[in-house]
Structure formats: structure tokens, C-alpha cells
Amino acid sequence: MLVLALDTATSYLVLGLPHAERAIRLGRRHAEVLWGELEAFLHQAGVGLGELEGIAVGRGPGSYTGLRVGIAAGLGLARGLGVPVTGVETLEATALRYQGRVTVAQTTRNGLCYAAGYRIVGAKLETLQAPHRSRLNELHPTGLFALDQPPSGKALVHLGIEALQAGRTLIEPLYL
């Protein structure tokens, strides 16, 4: 299944396909850059819009504006192309970059962070601590600690394919 993933929940714009991924640190400029980067990414990957069979969108946690940019883009693409769309968790896709126990955290502008804990074995993810908001100095990471890292574009695709095959086509933003 050829699924395009996009995530704008963090300071990165992350794009993914089963065979390609791109992460660009943008700060808060996602709306300015998304469409041009998406066009270049698909061209470089040799994929036309008409070939896509689904869209996976990072649903956060993340900034309100960042999530809205990505969700609106994903919904617009899916409706325009007539393909299904689903939401996937940004922190899970970040954790899937690693193996073993990992705590993933994304800092926010107000001195807080979004964090979660996972155990990764192969491509299987087990949630040890659900996504929550905390102060960075109050976190008690177990295993590897990944701070402000972008989600994996390929992991977003993998999670999206699983969700679409299970019939989950709801995108509900995760604001903590």
C-alpha cells in the first residue's frame, strides 16, 4: 500500500513513503514550506499524487497551529485524491527510530514538554508511559532519552498502513 505520511506537530516537517523519508527543521514555518517540499519530495521519490493509496498524518502531541497545518493538508490531499486518511501518534513514530526502552520528549515554548515511554523490539512498539505533559526536569526517563528528535517518516507510514488496514480513519489531534 503506497501511503504518504506527513507530520507538522514538531519543529520539523516530516514526509514519508514506504521507501523514502525527509525531515526538515522549520521552527514554525510549516504552512510556508509544506507544499513546495511535498512536491519536491514526491518528485525525488518518483511518486505521482495519483499513485497514492492513503495518507497518514501525525496527530501530535504538538502545537495547535502545527497540528492544524498538517491535518488540514492531509485531509485536503485525501479528499482531493479520493483516498483514505488516518492519524498516527508523533511520539510513537519518533520512538520507532530506536530499539529497547526509550523515553521520547518534545519541548514546548512554555517550558513544558510532551513525553511518553516505550519499549521497541523490532517494529513492535509497547507503550510503557502514555503521552503526557510535564516539566522537563520532572521527567524520569528509562533507557534511551530522545529529546526534540523528529519522527521517522517511514515509521509514520508503517503506523498509517496499520491504522488504515484496521479501518481507523479518524484524525483526532492530541493536545495535552
Side-chain angles (χ1 to χ4, degrees):
M1 181 173 216
L2 187 55
V3 169
L4 169 70
L6 61 102
D7 190 297
T8 58
T10 70
S11 62
Y12 292 88
L13 166 62
V14 177
L15 302 169
L17 290 164
H19 62 283
E21 63 185 339
R22 178 180 292 172
I24 306 162
R25 188 175 189 101
L26 295 176
R28 295 173 19 179
R29 298 181 321 123
H30 296 89
E32 298 170 38
V33 177
L34 172 64
W35 296 107
E37 286 296 330
L38 177 59
E39 184 178 14
F41 174 71
L42 290 172
H43 178 74
Q44 186 177 26
V47 174
L49 284 174
E51 297 174 63
L52 297 175
E53 300 171 274
I55 308 290
V57 178
R59 65 182 197 96
S63 75
Y64 180 84
T65 302
L67 289 172
R68 289 293 175 211
V69 167
I71 290 170
L75 286 170
L77 275 170
R79 288 187 181 144
L81 297 171
V83 299
V85 62
T86 191
V88 296
E89 285 192 30
T90 300
L91 294 177
E92 286 183 1
T94 304
L96 283 167
R97 290 185 167 280
Y98 308 100
Q99 288 292 305
R101 285 180 175 256
V102 60
T103 299
V104 178
Q106 292 286 337
T107 55
T108 66
R109 292 187 304 146
N110 61 5
L112 298 174
C113 68
Y114 301 117
Y118 303 96
R119 179 179 303 127
I120 314 297
V121 178
K124 188 170 171 98
L125 178 138
E126 175 188 357
T127 302
L128 302 176
Q129 185 176 30
H132 62 283
R133 188 171 35 198
S134 175
R135 296 210 174 277
L136 194 56
N137 63 355
E138 295 172 353
L139 287 180
H140 303 288
T142 58
L144 179 72
F145 182 50
L147 179 63
D148 292 331
Q149 296 300 306
S152 161
K154 290 181 181 180
L156 289 164
V157 170
H158 172 76
L159 293 168
I161 290 171
E162 284 182 350
L164 290 170
Q165 289 176 340
R168 294 190 310 266
T169 58
L170 178 66
I171 301 177
E172 185 173 329
L174 183 56
Y175 306 115
L176 296 178

